[in-house]
Amino acid sequence: MRNSPYCVIAVKTIILSIFGLSTLPFWAVVVQFIDSVTGFSSGQGYHSASQRYIFESPLIYILVVLCINVVAGIAFLAYAHYKEKKGGSI
């Protein structure tokens, strides 16, 4: 399992996705600032709490993709570990 380049890619994907998830509050503040400067308010109007922007468009799509990356990477590593225990190769 350790020699497989796919496992290295899976670990890098997990690390980068977790980093991306940790920066979402910063991006929510940026989106809130852009919305306040341009006067744009999608749907329900201007939100005063920047944390609401994480669960609103467009950041919700980024959140979903990053969560899928983490889950897929962990699933692949679990599958590779299971496959190694059974004696096969990936």
Side-chain angles (χ1 to χ4, degrees):
M1 179 172 111
R2 294 182 186 166
N3 296 334
S4 173
Y6 298 120
C7 291
V8 173
I9 291 172
V11 170
K12 286 182 181 180
T13 301
I14 292 169
I15 291 171
L16 289 175
S17 295
I18 290 174
F19 174 74
L21 287 171
S22 68
T23 60
L24 274 180
F26 167 74
W27 292 115
V29 171
V30 170
V31 170
Q32 181 184 20
F33 175 74
I34 292 171
D35 282 354
S36 68
V37 169
T38 61
F40 177 76
S41 59
S42 60
Q44 301 169 329
Y46 180 72
H47 300 296
S48 59
S50 63
Q51 294 299 322
R52 295 242 338 153
Y53 276 93
I54 293 176
F55 302 106
E56 300 282 327
S57 179
L59 293 181
I60 189 70
Y61 303 116
I62 297 170
L63 176 73
V64 169
V65 168
L66 292 174
C67 288
I68 289 172
N69 281 344
V70 170
V71 170
I74 291 172
F76 179 79
L77 290 176
Y79 172 74
H81 182 70
Y82 171 76
K83 192 80 165 171
E84 183 180 296
K85 285 243 184 207
K86 296 273 289 190
S89 62
I90 297 176

